[in-house]
Every structure is written in C-alpha cells, then in structure tokens.
Amino acid sequence: MSSAPVAAATTAALDAKRSPPALKSLRIFISSPSDVAEERLIARRVIGRLGAQFGDAVHFEPVFWEHKPLVATASFQEQLLRPSETDIVIVVLWSRLGTALPSHIRRADGTAYGSGTEFEFEDALEGFKRTGKPGILVYRKTALAALPAETELLEEHLRQKQALERFVAKWFRNDVDGTFKAAFHNFESPADFEDLLEAHVAGLAEPHLPAGADVRGLAPTWRKGSPFRGLAAFEPEHAPVFFGRTAAVASVLMKLRLQAESHRAFVLVVSMSGGGKSSLVRAGVLPLLTQPGVVGSATCWRYAVMRPSDGQGHLMTALARAVVQPGALPEIEMANPGWLAMAAERPDPSAVQFAERVCAGLDDAGRADVEGDAGDAAQCHLALVVDQLEEIFSDHRIDAADRESFVAAIAALARSGRVWVIATMRSDVYPRLAELPGLIELKEGEGQFDLLPPTVREIGQIIRLPAAASGLRFEVRTSTAERLDDAIRDAAAKNPGALPLLQFLLEELYKRRRADDVLTFRAYEELGGVEGALVQRAESVLAGVSPSARLALPAVLRELVTFAHDDDSKALRRIAPRTAFDSAEATELVDALVDARLLVTALDEQGHAAISLAHEALLEFWPRLREWREQDRELLLVHARLSVATRTWEREGRSGDFLLARGKPLGEAKT
C-alpha cells in the first residue's frame, strides 16, 4: 500500500477526532384533534424547552402543520412529512377522533380512514413495524368534556366520541377479556400532560446523545449571564429561561384564540401583586403568540409592550408611543410624522381612527416584509401587551375621561381582526373595572384568566430549569443528602406572594456562586433565605450611605409611593422625575438604591430620566418601608387628593370654580 493513501487515511482520522460529531436531529410529529388545542400548545413549549436542555447534542425538529405553507390544492396529510418518516409521534386524544379525510386517501385494502388522526397513527405504526421507528406516545385526557347545548353540535359530539371509543377498542383493548394490549397514558390536567410528555420525550431522546454523554452534563444553552431576574420582570428575550408556567401560557393563548373567534381578541390576566403576571405575558405568552400558526392566520408578527404610566398621565400618548416602538410599527411614525402629537391632542383621536391607522401600519409592515418578492403582502398582525393596567386608576393624573378614551381605543384594536391584546391587572384593583363598562364587555366570554400562585412542582421548575440551562448546580449536603434547590422550593411554597423574593434570592445566589458554578447553602444562609435576601440587600444599602442620606429616605419614598385617592387599602408605586430628588442627600440615596437595583430608571416621553421602585414587593416585605408607609399614610392620601384636585382645576382652564374650598380641603393642602 502506498504511503499517500495511508497519510490521507491518517489525516481523515485525525480530522474526525477534532470535529464534533454530527448533530442528531429528532423529528417529532404531533397528531391531535381540535379539542386538545391547549395540549398542542403545551407540546410545542415542552419540545422547545427540551431542545434547549439537550442543546448542541440533539436537535429537536417538531412537525406542526401550522409551520408549513400549506396550499389549498391538497389535503393536510398530503403536504406534511408522514409520521412514519419521523422519530417520535405524539398522539393526544380527548373527546374527538378528528376530521374525515378526502375520499382518495385510503388504506392499502381500499377502506377509508375514520379521520386524519387515525391515518397518522396507523402510518406511524406501519413505519415502526418496518424500521423500528417512530416511537409512538399516545395520551388520553380523562377530564369531562363540556356538552354543547345545540342539538346538531351535540349529535356531532356524540358521533365523535363513539368513533374515538371504537379507535381505542381496536388498537388498545383486547376483545376477549377487556385488558389493554397496547400502552397509552391517561392525564387529567394540562399540568399532568406537561409532566408526562417532558419525561417521555426526554427518555426517548437520551439514547440519541453522543456516546458517554449525559443530559445533565451537556453544555449550557443560556450564555447571557444570570438566568434569574431579581426584581425585574422576564422580557421576551428571556423566554429560553422562563419556566414553570407552561399550562398558564397555553390557557391564555387558548382564551385569546376563542376571544378572536368572537371578534374581540382581548384577554385580561389577573393575579395578586407579585403573582408573576408581567413575566408570564412578556416571556411566556408573547414569544409563542408571535410564532406563525399558533393563533390566527398571520404570517408575520410585530409586538408592542406598554404600561399606562409610560405616557406620564396621558394614556393615548402611552399607547401611540407603544405601537411605533422598534419591533412594533415604526412605519406609522415614518408615514405620519405628527402621529405622536396627534395622539396627545385634546380631545383624543377617535378610537376608530386610531385603530384604522394601526391597521394601515400593519399593511405597510406586511408589504415591507415581502419587499422584492412577487407575491402579495404578508398578513401582518400586532400583539399588544398592556402591562399593569391598574395604573389607569392609581395614577392621579388620569381621570375618568382619559380611561374611557383609552378603553375605547383598546376595544377598537381588539375588534379590528389584526391586533391581539393581552392586559395584566392586580386582583386587589379588579373591582374598579365596574367603572369601565367597555372593558367589562370586551372581556366577556373567555376574556379573563385568573393566574393562580405556582404549584410546588412549578416552583421547582422555576428554580431548577433556568439553572440547568446556565450550567449551574445546587449544592447537596453530604451528611444529610439535603438539596439546596429542594430547600428553596419548600421555603418559597409557604408564601404564595414570594415569586419576586424567590427571583431576588436566586439572583443573589448566582452572584455568590462558587468557581465551579455551584449555588451553596452557605450563601443561602448568609442571605437569610427567601424573605431575608431582599431585606438584607436594602438594609445594607442604607448602611452604606452617609447619615444625612439615610435621613432622606422618607422624602424619597414620598415621591415614589402613593395611594389611590379613593382607596387607601394598599400602597402603590409611582414614577417620579429624576429632578424630584434635587438635594445632595436624596441624590446620594437614590443613586445607591439604583446601583443596588432596588430602584429602576427609565426615560419619560420628553426623554428625561424618571425613577420608580423596582417592585412593589419592597413595600410588602421591607419592614422599614412598611413602618414608614403606615406612619405617612395620611400624608400620602392628602397628596393623592390634592393631585386629583390640581388636575381637575388645570383641565377646566384654571377656573376659580374648581379651587379648593375653605375648610378641610384647603387646610390639608396647606399642611
């Protein structure tokens, strides 16, 4: 043998050793009738999560018909990858077997399939008999399905139920003794389905890892610093490390789809303060909603996020700024340079005009997305998040007329067929919705989702899965086998409002991690556990500033905390201009609190700096703030009442008829 071939073979062998093994791709087919659309969404999110967990070792390729550019000249099954050509097939069943197929799609013996689901299952089964794949996972939901009231729909429901029972009897049950001849998995709730599916798909995927690899030892998939958010909300870019709320995300999306079918694409997410509403919508719902095919028929998406306080007292300005922000529809401002000025005018532009301009902007965006193509403009939709809707009541600069104009604009957008609106609101402010009949009407039907505190299982996911994605590990005590992640989970589960504290603790543990990326019991105990970490940080900031700056705390807090003028049950944070803290002592304290991320900074509509509390959890869990809040309650209430009176006087042209009356109102103002 000549030396050249030997050298070539040696070089090839060395190159093979240097090169990483080819990435294994697992194609996963999802088969599900329309009654399990929520589980279909959960499957999509679970597969995405597992894809992140397996990282660069195994590539997950889900097969959803929603992802494909299906044409009207052929059926769904004819245009999709056949289940027999994939690696894993997931079949989810409940009360329907599915829609009948065109007559030309038949079995080899000429008989017709009962539905697309039956075809997909049998095709997968034939593939397994021939080649040993795909792995087939069948799930059946056991919760009772609601019966339709209409006679025709009830008859169809019963027909579908009978067809499903025949399918189960044929493939899974022995006729002789009634025992089961093939395995399937029952589940009661979406959370149960999530647990089962994640464990089963991971189990089928692990044999495809490179030789000797373990999923627990794979390279981190999150390489952008801490996977925890402290007191800040998770944003869309943090979707890869947002865990523990899969069932809630799917429920919100399902409600949004049902609302859109009723021509009002609006859902209000309600929960207690610190319940995780903002993170759920921003990092959970929004990234999934804006994927083509999840809801609606849009082929391109834009999104906007706003808070009512963004407009510094003017709701329509906040809304107009949101829809022209980068990632949303800057085309509107480009085509209409006076757009923001128009939104700030009094009276406000009509709701119909506002919605029409937004839809025109979506048309422009659709044309831009296909620029250079010969086809028609893309069907572009907008996802709009109105976060912390309670601010329309807590901001003293916003009156009833402002609220009504804003709600009318939101309603017009949600009824346009092009804009999908998700709002969040604190449950303690919810009763005030009675003041806004337009909003009550908008959320009729399926337009409200009550976000419950996470279960113990979900808290465990919130703690462990972001850490795993970042390559972090939790210490285990060698003497007792106690795990730090279990200790944190159990402590957090005792307090349903502890999510902000939990994230703050995890962020602090991340900062104190060992060199080998282990989060330790020592750091946990030094921080004081879930509730102690926040208090310790706040007190350490105060201890680190000068005595005069420490004395400025009450004055600083008066600018950042308020009560609704007609509701003194709960303190609320508010945004203050940076110029409100003009003394040297206040400036020192504010700067220290900002550096510690207990206060956050932003720009108001004029581009000036503004300050607010990082989270209302500070008002609930920092004893010093609780004590100050009770001592200054009456002063804060007076300030709120005076602010409302001032706004009314200015709105009425500073008429003398609206000056404070003598007696208590004038006396309070002079105090």
Side-chain angles (χ1 to χ4, degrees), residues 301-314:
W301 280 89
R302 304 290 182 87
Y303 74 86
V305 180
M306 65 161 290
R307 285 176 52 181
S309 58
D310 291 342
Q312 299 294 302
H314 199 286

Side-chain angles (χ1 to χ4, degrees), residues 1 3-15:
M1 186 174 182
S3 60
V6 172
T10 303
T11 301
L14 289 173
D15 287 343

Side-chain angles (χ1 to χ4, degrees), residues 102-166:
S103 59
H104 68 278
I105 301 180
R106 291 180 175 271
R107 297 183 180 91
D109 62 4
T111 58
Y113 293 100
S115 71
T117 302
E118 192 168 39
F119 162 78
E120 290 160 358
F121 174 79
E122 292 187 26
D123 182 74
L125 194 60
E126 287 299 318
F128 180 81
K129 291 176 181 178
R130 291 194 309 269
T131 66
K133 70 174 189 178
I136 305 172
L137 297 168
V138 178
Y139 301 88
R140 190 171 184 189
K141 190 172 183 176
T142 58
L144 291 176
L147 296 176
E150 298 85 350
T151 302
E152 291 184 3
L153 294 178
L154 180 59
E155 291 174 353
E156 171 64 11
H157 175 86
L158 294 175
R159 189 187 70 78
Q160 284 281 342
K161 184 70 172 175
Q162 291 166 356
L164 177 60
E165 293 300 335
R166 289 194 297 270

Side-chain angles (χ1 to χ4, degrees), residues 316 319 349-352 354-355 384 403-415 421 442:
M316 290 304 297
L319 181 57
S350 77
V352 173
F354 192 94
L384 172 64
R403 290 192 281 270
E404 290 173 3
S405 296
F406 179 70
V407 168
I410 292 296
L413 291 171
R415 291 190 170 101
V421 186
L442 191 60

Side-chain angles (χ1 to χ4, degrees), residues 244-273:
R245 291 297 203 173
T246 296
V249 168
S251 294
V252 172
L253 287 168
M254 284 298 301
K255 285 178 174 289
L256 196 56
R257 181 179 64 80
L258 293 171
Q259 286 293 95
E261 291 173 358
S262 300
H263 308 291
R264 48 177 186 270
F266 174 88
V267 170
L268 177 66
V269 179
V270 180
S271 83
M272 63 189 296
S273 177

